[in-house]
């Protein structure tokens, strides 16, 4: 886990383009790979090549994982997490730390002059894909919402699953 690829190869960019169905923009690094070795999370520059601010530092690219996370979203996981966030001070504190770590890492690359990170942090849970991407990029214990989603997928035998994004 974590960013291990300082250089993004042409083959990685080609795989990510196939995964996304479009040319990737502002890719800085492959932040995580699936068990079959394909990129599943990219680190994106805080500004896209045309100068547009892009606060989402970690972007989930694997179509299979995107689908699985969408299923969790559709099943109400984000609402459950949001409800617990309001009731559990320890969870809220961990979520705030995830936001602060995300913001510090992005600002170290380039500050966008905003406290907005991604996925609703630190007060809402609005995009589970962002949280899963962050959890995969940084490893367990950094983003509690992403960790929880990955644990659910793993516990259900849905992730990791070997060959996932070759086509």
């Amino acid at each position: 886990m974590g960013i291990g690829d300082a250089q993004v190869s042409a083959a990685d960019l080609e795989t990510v383009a196939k995964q996304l169905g479009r040319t990737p923009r502002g890719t800085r690094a492959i932040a995580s790979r699936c068990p079959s070795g394909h990129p599943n999370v990219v680190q994106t520059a805080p500004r896209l090549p045309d100068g547009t601010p892009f606060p989402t530092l970690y972007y989930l690219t694997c179509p299979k994982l995107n689908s699985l996370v969408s299923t969790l979203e559709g099943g109400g996981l984000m609402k459950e997490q949001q409800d617990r966030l309001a009731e559990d001070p320890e969870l809220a504190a961990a979520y705030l730390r995830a936001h602060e770590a995300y913001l510090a890492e992005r600002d170290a690359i380039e500050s966008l002059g905003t406290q907005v990170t991604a996925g609703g942090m630190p007060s809402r849970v609005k995009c589970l894909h962002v949280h899963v991407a962050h959890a995969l990029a940084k490893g367990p214990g950094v983003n509690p919402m992403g960790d929880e989603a990955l644990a659910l997928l793993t516990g259900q035998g849905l992730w990791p699953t070997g060959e996932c994004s070759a086509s």
Side-chain angles (χ1 to χ4, degrees):
M1 298 230 180
I3 297 177
D5 297 351
Q7 298 293 319
V8 181
S9 72
D12 285 336
L13 289 176
E14 184 177 321
T15 298
V16 171
K18 286 179 184 176
Q19 291 173 328
L20 298 175
R22 64 169 173 78
T23 302
R25 303 171 297 160
T27 303
R28 296 187 77 243
I30 303 303
S32 175
R33 291 183 181 276
C34 67
S36 57
H38 300 101
N40 64 10
V41 177
V42 294
Q43 184 189 67
T44 303
R47 288 191 190 277
L48 297 177
D50 69 1
T52 302
F54 193 78
T56 305
L57 184 61
Y58 294 109
Y59 198 87
L60 194 61
T61 62
C62 175
K64 182 173 184 175
L65 188 53
N66 267 313
S67 177
L68 292 169
V69 173
S70 292
T71 299
L72 291 177
E73 284 184 344
L77 180 59
M78 288 188 313
K79 181 175 180 347
E80 292 171 21
Q81 289 176 328
Q82 182 70 46
D83 291 346
R84 281 188 282 121
L85 194 58
E87 300 166 359
D88 183 342
E90 287 182 30
L91 179 62
Y95 197 50
L96 177 60
R97 286 190 301 274
H99 162 74
E100 291 168 343
Y102 198 100
L103 183 62
E105 187 173 2
R106 190 187 70 212
D107 282 355
I109 297 165
E110 179 181 356
S111 176
L112 295 177
T114 180
Q115 294 294 305
V116 173
T117 51
M121 291 187 279
S123 59
R124 298 182 307 138
V125 182
K126 74 174 203 176
C127 180
L128 201 51
H129 295 79
V130 165
H131 300 300
V132 168
H134 190 206
L136 284 169
K138 301 312 291 180
V142 175
N143 188 313
M145 304 314 182
D147 288 349
E148 180 180 350
L150 286 169
L152 286 169
L153 294 175
T154 302
Q156 295 170 7
L158 302 172
W159 184 260
T161 56
E163 193 67 30
C164 62
S165 61
S167 55

